[in-house]
Amino acid sequence: MGGVSTTEQATRLPHVPKQDRSRATRQRLLAAAVACLAEHGWAGSTVSVVAERAGVSRGAAQHHFPTREDLFTAAVEYVAEERSTALRALFPDGAVDRRAVVAALVDLYTGPLFRAALHLWVAASNEDQLRPRVTELEARVGRETHRIAVDLLGADESRPGVRETVQGLLDMARGLGLANLLTDDAGRRERVVEQWGSLMEEALG
């Protein structure tokens, strides 16, 4: 009879689980890198520290990410993409309340992703190898966030000033995220978000 022998099956079957394990290891490393960067900053976030937190060997970490710069730029990009997906998922049928969109956008800048990204930006300002990669990453993430904001707000950027209004909202959100690094600014942030929600309704019509 034709078909695949038992020996062939034995050599083929582990292939898919191995891919799954590799993908899971990569995601654990990325999540651990973001957490370490947010908690310890660039100086305290070595590949060894991240590998230990992720529960993998240093060798396994370097197999996925040969350099420290590879690991941390990939980590921030990975989580940024996850947050963008989560933001879109909040309004699957399109947003109807611009105040809710403003609040959701501000939330993007007050969590561990922003804290980790800030540490990466500071490191990039002093690390020649890191700077161009982080600059490119920030530009890409910024464009994606702007597109999401325009879609969710129903903003017509063909109208004069609308693009700048949306960008101003994102700049404001980034500023609130920066303030949140030092103190619990939730009360003030809520009032600012409410006011910006009203401003966006007026500005976007």
Side-chain angles (χ1 to χ4, degrees):
M1 292 179 61
V4 180
S5 70
T6 303
T7 302
E8 288 174 317
Q9 288 178 343
T11 58
R12 289 184 184 181
L13 286 176
H15 181 65
V16 173
K18 184 177 179 181
Q19 285 184 327
D20 290 343
R21 285 196 303 272
S22 178
R23 189 178 301 112
T25 297
R26 178 183 170 87
Q27 291 183 341
R28 283 204 309 275
L29 284 165
L30 294 175
V34 170
C36 286
L37 200 57
E39 293 173 17
H40 308 301
W42 176 255
S45 299
T46 64
V47 174
S48 295
V49 169
V50 171
E52 182 178 356
R53 183 169 188 140
V56 305
S57 69
R58 179 186 172 89
Q62 290 183 314
H63 170 73
H64 288 278
F65 305 101
T67 70
R68 189 184 184 199
E69 291 79 10
D70 288 334
L71 173 59
F72 285 103
T73 52
V76 176
E77 181 174 21
Y78 167 74
V79 179
E81 289 171 354
E82 292 292 300
R83 293 297 294 272
S84 294
T85 300
L87 180 61
R88 288 189 182 280
L90 289 174
F91 308 98
D93 300 318
V96 294
D97 184 350
R98 283 176 174 149
R99 288 178 175 81
V101 174
V102 171
L105 288 168
V106 168
D107 283 346
L108 281 176
Y109 293 97
T110 54
L113 170 63
F114 180 78
R115 187 182 296 268
L118 183 62
H119 285 298
L120 196 63
W121 298 338
V122 171
S125 69
N126 298 308
E127 298 273 348
D128 289 341
Q129 271 189 304
L130 198 57
R131 189 181 305 117
R133 302 175 68 172
V134 173
T135 300
E136 179 189 358
L137 170 62
E138 170 60 15
R140 191 161 68 248
V141 170
R143 288 192 297 270
E144 174 65 10
T145 304
H146 187 95
R147 281 196 298 270
I148 292 173
V150 168
D151 289 346
L152 293 178
L153 290 165
D156 179 3
E157 289 195 301
S158 67
R159 292 173 49 202
V162 168
R163 179 175 179 80
E164 291 74 17
T165 298
V166 174
Q167 191 58 58
L169 167 62
L170 296 176
D171 289 343
M172 179 277 299
R174 188 178 293 111
L176 290 177
L178 184 59
N180 192 60
L181 291 175
L182 299 177
T183 59
D184 182 0
D185 210 30
R188 174 176 170 273
R189 188 165 65 248
E190 287 179 13
R191 295 191 296 274
V192 172
V193 167
E194 179 63 26
Q195 179 63 18
W196 265 86
S198 298
L199 291 173
M200 295 305 288
E201 288 286 4
E202 294 176 14
L204 300 179

